[in-house]
């Protein structure tokens, strides 16, 4: 099947692909090209570089191959397409506190329960889910969510352990990159699946020329920026895209502000 068809299929059956989100950069963008890593080794993710230990302390890797962000000490915010259903679930392991997934310092905590957005796969959209952890991740900062559209603009940060390029392997070390906001109108005009963009529920980001993006295995992870107080705020959740880092094919993210009230209410009941 064509790559685009393959990708749409992935979007529909998120759990199957949940393992690999990668920050991919296939070609250097004209603007804001990331610098090479300080160790002099070319990062395996083109367009991204390695995050420093502690730089994004709320980043979570989930065992089904998705990303997430620590929302409260005992709740991870991820994508609905990374989980199968709402209900008791002790099969997920969250890895926290490290950029190196193989670090002996990694904190690993099992899940107890999953809450999948009830509007996911409806016309409302809402690719988000909450995972309750068996115990609090003490000492790990949380990432707040955007509660208004005020931060749905500008330059966003993305991070994840997904593939370094389209079809590439999952990463041991956390990679990061930056991508600019793309308007709903521009995103919707990107052809293919983008014509079905749910403007109220999704927010797009990427360079017109491609080159920097999230990718398979980054799903569920946060797209974030600083707020007016200089604090990190999650504005998007890695959701889908046609391929990775392709020109004219932005990354699509759950618009967190749209679902902030529902997310907070669900978390309060977990
Ligand atoms: C994925 O398969 C995926 N380029 C996530 C994000 C993007 C593409 C694919 C965006 O999880």
């Amino acid at each position: 099947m064509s790559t685009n068809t393959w990708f749409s299929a992935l979007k529909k059956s998120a759990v199957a692909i949940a393992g690999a989100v990668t920050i991919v950069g296939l070609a250097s963008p004209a603007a804001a090209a990331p610098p090479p890593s300080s160790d002099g080794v070319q990062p395996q993710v083109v367009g991204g570089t390695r995050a420093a230990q502690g730089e994004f302390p709320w980043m979570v890797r989930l065992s089904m191959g998705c990303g997430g962000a620590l929302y409260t000490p005992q709740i991870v915010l991820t994508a609905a397409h990374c989980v199968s259903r709402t209900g008791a679930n002790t099969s997920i392991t969250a890895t926290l506190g490290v950029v190196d997934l193989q670090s002996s310092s990694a904190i690993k905590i099992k899940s107890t329960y999953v809450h999948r957005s009830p509007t996911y796969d409806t016309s409302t959209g809402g690719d988000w889910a909450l995972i309750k952890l068996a115990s609090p991740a003490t000492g790990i900062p949380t990432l707040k969510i955007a509660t208004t559209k005020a931060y749905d603009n500008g330059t966003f940060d993305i991070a994840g352990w997904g593939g370094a390029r389209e079809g590439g392997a999952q990463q041991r070390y956390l990679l990061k990159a930056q991508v600019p906001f793309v308007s709903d109108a521009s995103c919707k005009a990107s052809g293919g699946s983008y014509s079905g963009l749910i403007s109220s529920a999704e927010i797009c980001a990427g360079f017109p020329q491609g080159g920097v993006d999230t990718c398979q295995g980054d799903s569920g992870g946060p797209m974030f920026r600083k707020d007016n107080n200089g604090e990190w705020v999650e504005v998007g959740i890695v959701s889908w895209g046609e391929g990775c880092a392709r020109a004219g094919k932005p990354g699509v993210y759950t618009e967190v502000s749209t679902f902030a009230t529902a997310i907070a209410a669900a978390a309060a009941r977990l």
Side-chain angles (χ1 to χ4, degrees), residues 7 10 17 20-21 81 213-217 219 238-241 243-245 251:
F7 200 82
L10 283 183
I17 58 166
V21 172
H81 82 254
D213 198 6
T214 45
C215 198
Q216 291 88 355
S219 278
V238 180
S239 184
W240 62 277
C244 306

Side-chain angles (χ1 to χ4, degrees), residues 28-52:
S28 288
S37 58
S38 57
D39 60 9
V41 176
Q42 178 65 31
Q44 293 181 28
V45 172
V46 184
T49 57
R50 277 207 204 165

Side-chain angles (χ1 to χ4, degrees), residues 13-242:
S13 60
V15 178
I17 58 166
V21 172
T22 297
I23 309 296
V24 172
L26 296 180
S28 288
S37 58
S38 57
D39 60 9
V41 176
Q42 178 65 31
Q44 293 181 28
V45 172
V46 184
T49 57
R50 277 207 204 165
Q53 177 62 34
E55 188 175 6
F56 308 124
W58 20 257
M59 283 295 304
V60 179
R61 176 67 171 183
L62 297 169
S63 55
M64 81 292 275
C66 277
L70 197 65
Y71 175 59
T72 75
Q74 209 166 343
I75 297 175
V76 175
L77 177 59
T78 186
H81 82 254
C82 289
V83 301
S84 51
R85 57 181 286 275
T86 291
N89 186 324
T90 57
S91 71
I92 303 167
T93 300
T95 300
L96 309 94
V98 291
V99 293
D100 175 5
L101 294 176
Q102 294 180 29
S103 170
S104 58
S105 304
I107 297 169
K108 293 181 186 265
I109 309 177
K110 288 279 197 182
S111 63
T112 58
Y113 194 88
V114 167
H115 175 87
R116 193 179 198 238
S117 167
T119 56
Y120 178 63
D121 267 348
T122 74
S123 59
T124 300
D127 190 4
W128 63 271
L130 297 173
I131 296 175
K132 178 87 177 276
L133 303 178
S135 63
T138 52
I140 304 229
T142 56
L143 179 61
K144 65 184 176 185
I145 60 173
T147 56
T148 77
K149 292 174 65 72
Y151 302 109
D152 290 356
N153 57 74
T155 298
F156 304 121
D157 292 75
I158 48 177
W161 289 271
R165 55 189 148 117
E166 193 173 322
Q170 298 294 292
Q171 301 294 300
R172 170 176 174 175
Y173 297 98
L174 181 64
L175 295 174
K176 63 172 182 176
Q178 292 189 315
V179 283
F181 170 79
V182 171
S183 73
D184 289 336
S186 173
C187 195
K188 212 163 197 169
S190 302
S193 302
Y194 294 88
S195 64
L197 187 82
I198 306 173
S199 295
S200 56
E202 297 176 315
I203 179 173
C204 304
F207 293 96
Q209 68 272 43
V212 183
D213 198 6
T214 45
C215 198
Q216 291 88 355
D218 293 320
S219 278
M223 179 170 79
F224 49 98
R225 51 162 287 171
K226 294 277 186 75
D227 68 11
N228 291 338
N229 294 319
E231 297 176 347
W232 291 118
V233 60
E234 181 167 0
V235 302
I237 299 168
V238 180
S239 184
W240 62 277
E242 287 189 12

